Amino acid sequence: GAVVSQHPSWVICKSGTSVKIECRSLDFQATTMFWYRQFPKQSLMLMATSNEGSKATYEQGVEKDKFLINHASLTLSTLTVTSAHPEDSSFYICSALGPQSTDTQYFGPGTRLTVL
Amino acid sequence: DQQVKQNSPSLSVQEGRISILNCDYTNSMFDYFLWYKKYPAEGPTFLISISSIKDKNEDGRFTVFLNKSAKHLSLHIVPSQPGDSAVYFCAASDSGAGSYQLTFGKGTKLSVIP
């Protein structure tokens, strides 16, 4: 149990376009999901906390109009990178609070975004 | 201010020996600690956790020790296997805060040499 998937696993896009990344909890319901970004050789940086049915809570320094988060159901959260620029190129990872322990997050496999 | 520190960016261990990964924290409100394993270009995989009411938790080859007074925890892997080679992240949370957020260390890259 506690499997989290992400789609796509990698995406290449042109500067100025928008990219949507999906995060799904496959075998459990997740009222809370998280979105992280990881730069090369660095730790995970929390971008936002996504709660089902309500607005996401963004960390300081993360532009909410640029990184749109929608958590429309108990198994799906989406991150849309709007008007992408090359500096948005990164590895984006989502996680969901586990079904049995709300203290444990289970991570998706990540999405590699490259903006040309 | 880094609240969770993994001071060793890398560690090399011979196959079959014990790997000890260390983690220190500064926030006394942290009461739940986790270890994740991460391969390049993949999401972290949950390994083991420990609540602050315990000082040891064991799961197969993995044991986590918690020293609350020293604000220190460690992950022991024994025996180490080449497949254990990965980056290991220590994470901590304050369950009383209600946000369920994790604070991660910067990771330690473990290399197990055959």
Side-chain angles (χ1 to χ4, degrees):
Chain A
V3 177
V4 177
S5 71
Q6 270 183 253
H7 178 81
S9 56
W10 60 270
V11 57
I12 301 173
C13 70
K14 291 183 178 180
S15 188
T17 61
S18 295
V19 174
K20 180 186 282 189
I21 302 170
E22 293 185 349
C23 178
R24 293 182 185 272
S25 55
L26 296 186
D27 51 0
F28 66 103
Q29 294 183 331
T31 55
T32 302
M33 291 183 172
F34 301 88
W35 286 95
Y36 293 84
R37 184 172 178 178
Q38 186 183 29
F39 293 99
K41 298 183 180 180
Q42 293 191 27
S43 186
L44 300 168
M45 183 194 82
L46 178 66
M47 298 175 66
T49 302
S50 168
N51 292 298
E52 187 268 337
S54 64
K55 291 183 179 180
T57 303
Y58 290 82
E59 295 302 297
Q60 193 173 9
V62 178
E63 299 176 59
K64 62 180 181 181
D65 294 330
K66 180 166 186 61
F67 298 99
L68 300 178
I69 292 173
N70 187 305
H71 194 156
S73 78
L74 287 171
T75 59
L76 173 65
S77 176
T78 60
L79 168 68
T80 301
V81 183
T82 63
S83 187
H85 288 106
E87 56 265 31
D88 298 325
S89 299
S90 191
F91 192 57
Y92 293 87
I93 313 173
C94 73
S95 71
L97 285 182
Q100 295 179 353
S101 168
T102 54
D103 293 312
T104 302
Q105 292 180 25
Y106 293 88
F107 286 82
T111 298
R112 169 71 61 190
L113 170 63
T114 301
V115 184
L116 302 177
Chain B
D1 177 36
Q2 206 179 342
Q3 297 187 66
V4 177
K5 300 177 184 179
Q6 292 177 257
N7 291 320
S8 298
S10 63
L11 174 69
S12 289
V13 171
Q14 206 74 32
E15 180 179 4
R17 299 288 187 105
I18 184 170
S19 295
I20 300 176
L21 297 106
N22 293 303
C23 178
D24 297 292
Y25 61 96
T26 57
N27 189 340
S28 58
M29 299 302 293
F30 287 149
D31 57 359
Y32 192 73
F33 305 89
L34 310 90
W35 284 95
Y36 286 87
K37 174 181 179 181
K38 187 180 183 301
Y39 295 112
E42 292 186 13
T45 301
F46 169 70
L47 274 178
I48 192 168
S49 63
I50 188 167
S51 165
S52 60
I53 62 173
K54 295 185 175 181
D55 54 18
K56 177 183 175 181
N57 189 24
E58 190 173 351
D59 184 1
R61 297 186 297 115
F62 302 92
T63 303
V64 56
F65 295 92
L66 175 63
N67 182 334
K68 289 187 292 293
S69 60
K71 293 190 177 68
H72 176 84
L73 64 153
S74 60
L75 174 68
H76 292 212
I77 306 173
V78 55
S80 300
Q81 300 172 354
D84 296 329
S85 297
V87 176
Y88 289 78
F89 288 98
C90 169
S93 73
D94 170 9
S95 59
S99 64
Y100 309 111
Q101 290 183 0
L102 294 177
T103 301
F104 284 87
K106 291 191 173 183
T108 296
K109 183 177 181 180
L110 173 65
S111 300
V112 180
I113 305 164

